[in-house]
Amino acid sequence: MDSAPSSMTRLLHPDVAPQPGGTPLTTPIYQTSTYELPRTAEAARIAASVAPGAFYTRYGSPNAREAEAMLADLDGAEAALLVGSGMAAISAALLSTVAGGPGGGLGGGEVLAQRSHYTASLTLLQEMLPGFGVPVRLVAQEDLAAEVRPETRVVYVETPSNPTMTLTDLRAVRAAAPDAILIADNTFATPYNTRPLELGVDLVVQSATKYLNGHSDVTAGVVTGSAALVAKAWETARVLGPVCHPFEAWLLARGLKTFPLRMARHNANGLAVAEFLAGHPAVRAVHHPGLPSHPQHDLAVRQMRGYGAMLAFTVADADAAARVMRSTRLCRNAVSLGGSESLITHPASLVFAHQGAASGVDPAMLRLSVGLEEVEDIVADLAEALSTVDR
């Protein structure tokens, strides 16, 4: 330029001298939507690459790349894709592996899935995929391996499932469907307790909103697996646009630093609370894979390192469940999970509200996400609430 820029222009281009000092221990938040590119052929290479970290934030960001590196390492995966929610991760994984063909979705093949899934996953499987011409067959979770057919191209599982904590035998499903793409939702177990890729799964999806972040202040999701499959999921996410913005990615990376410490406490608290509830006269049933009474406890021992802090318990009826939920003080009524605080909710009316009675969830059941409080305090809170139930 022949003349110096005006003061208004200089506001947009501040000339800040480098400061003496070292490298920040915590990655800065890259709160920008786009990046200036080099004026060389390198710019075209960056634009054409998979999930570039400094191109356009819908494609990724340095903060997302840091979290993805941590998440891939946790799962033992070649690659990870960070997106804006758990459902964005599930959608990207499924939509990137199905396609219409002359004989219907997947070229005449099918998606096989269990009937017991998170509510929005069920909507995707029961309504959206069939609407795109993709055949989907839902079967009992325990029968999944036996229900594999020659035309099965994708198998989608959730283990433990929401809210009954039923397990899927991942090795058995892999053996029954050696040529299918196997996708597993590992949100409840987390990679601390189950590493599905080591059991034959191709893609793992998780709501990073939950245990991975652990502080109830982030909405995010992650897909992990081979670099080739994650690249396909990224192409789908690039089109659909479920961005995990830099600040959320930064918060997630911060939360991941304490993940092993939190999960050890969650596991211990979850099992202790499950044992308390199993011995309480007002409780008809407790669903937690760490209990020997769980019908799949032997599978849990083989497939899980620990049993997690998610459980469900059933009381006399729906009225009793409502009284218990109204009576807790420490356990808060909220539909998420995996944070530091204990949460209690009524799945039939809150988590599965969009399915209603069709969900098949027992209206006398309550779901509990056991937090990091002193376990004696959690037990005391539940004991007081259960005292309101007529026995």
Side-chain angles (χ1 to χ4, degrees):
M1 297 178 64
D2 294 332
S3 59
S6 70
S7 60
M8 295 303 292
T9 296
R10 290 198 302 274
L11 285 175
L12 303 179
H13 300 276
D15 184 11
V16 180
Q19 298 297 308
T23 302
L25 290 178
T26 300
T27 302
I29 301 168
Y30 288 79
Q31 197 62 45
T32 182
S33 62
T34 193
Y35 294 80
E36 182 179 6
L37 300 173
R39 298 167 194 255
T40 66
E42 177 68 6
R45 189 198 67 78
I46 294 170
S49 63
V50 173
F55 174 69
Y56 182 51
T57 295
R58 180 162 60 81
Y59 285 40
S61 69
N63 295 110
R65 296 295 87 85
E66 179 184 45
E68 286 166 347
M70 299 167 79
L71 292 162
D73 189 44
L74 273 176
D75 269 343
E78 286 184 353
L81 169 66
L82 186 64
V83 287
S85 70
M87 275 311 304
I90 292 166
S91 299
L94 277 169
L95 291 173
S96 66
T97 53
V98 302
L106 294 173
E110 67 170 14
V111 174
L112 178 66
Q114 59 199 54
R115 291 195 189 101
S116 179
H117 278 293
Y118 173 62
T119 172
S121 301
L122 285 173
T123 301
L124 177 62
L125 292 163
Q126 292 177 316
E127 300 177 20
M128 294 191 70
L129 289 184
F132 295 149
V134 179
V136 177
R137 187 162 53 94
L138 301 181
V139 301
Q141 185 172 354
E142 299 91 329
D143 300 335
L144 198 63
E147 290 285 348
V148 173
R149 296 175 179 172
E151 63 268 28
T152 301
R153 300 288 183 269
V154 176
V155 182
Y156 180 69
V157 307
E158 178 183 315
T159 182
S161 62
N162 186 6
T164 59
M165 310 303 146
T166 306
L167 303 183
T168 300
D169 189 331
L170 297 176
R171 285 192 180 93
V173 175
R174 177 77 286 168
D179 299 321
I181 295 177
L182 177 54
I183 305 171
D185 184 336
N186 197 41
T187 299
F188 276 21
T190 79
Y192 187 85
N193 291 320
T194 304
R195 285 164 61 92
L197 296 175
E198 295 177 355
L199 303 174
V201 168
D202 296 301
L203 283 176
V204 178
V205 294
Q206 295 175 85
S207 173
T209 309
K210 313 303 193 296
Y211 291 105
L212 294 173
N213 172 60
H215 293 80
S216 302
D217 55 8
V218 166
T219 303
V222 63
V223 183
T224 53
S226 70
L229 287 176
V230 170
K232 289 181 65 177
W234 176 78
E235 288 288 355
T236 300
R238 182 180 67 86
V239 173
L240 298 180
V243 181
C244 184
H245 290 280
F247 183 50
E248 281 69 27
W250 181 88
L251 285 171
L252 173 59
R254 177 216 59 183
L256 284 167
K257 292 177 181 179
T258 60
F259 173 72
L261 302 175
R262 291 185 285 101
M263 287 308 303
R265 174 80 168 216
H266 277 302
N267 281 350
N269 281 5
L271 184 58
V273 171
E275 290 170 343
F276 159 74
L277 291 170
H280 198 286
V283 176
R284 290 195 287 120
V286 180
H287 307 275
H288 186 272
L291 294 177
S293 59
H294 190 285
Q296 296 172 299
H297 179 66
D298 290 344
L299 173 59
V301 171
R302 297 196 307 271
Q303 188 165 283
M304 303 182 76
R305 173 189 177 188
Y307 307 113
M310 292 302 301
L311 62 89
F313 63 100
T314 307
V315 290
D317 51 35
D319 288 340
R323 288 199 300 275
V324 171
M325 197 169 71
R326 284 196 301 265
S327 301
T328 60
R329 296 292 177 264
L330 187 66
C331 301
R332 313 289 289 275
N333 175 24
V335 297
S336 192
L337 56 104
S340 58
E341 59 284 314
S342 292
L343 303 178
I344 191 168
T345 195
H346 186 241
S349 65
L350 298 177
V351 179
F352 290 85
H354 292 279
Q355 271 75 35
S359 69
V361 176
D362 190 338
M365 177 185 289
L366 294 166
R367 193 187 75 181
L368 190 64
S369 171
V370 181
L372 301 179
E373 303 94 345
E374 293 294 333
V375 71
E376 294 83 2
D377 296 328
I378 304 170
V379 167
D381 187 47
L382 291 168
E384 181 65 24
L386 287 165
S387 69
T388 66
V389 178
D390 294 330
R391 299 195 288 273

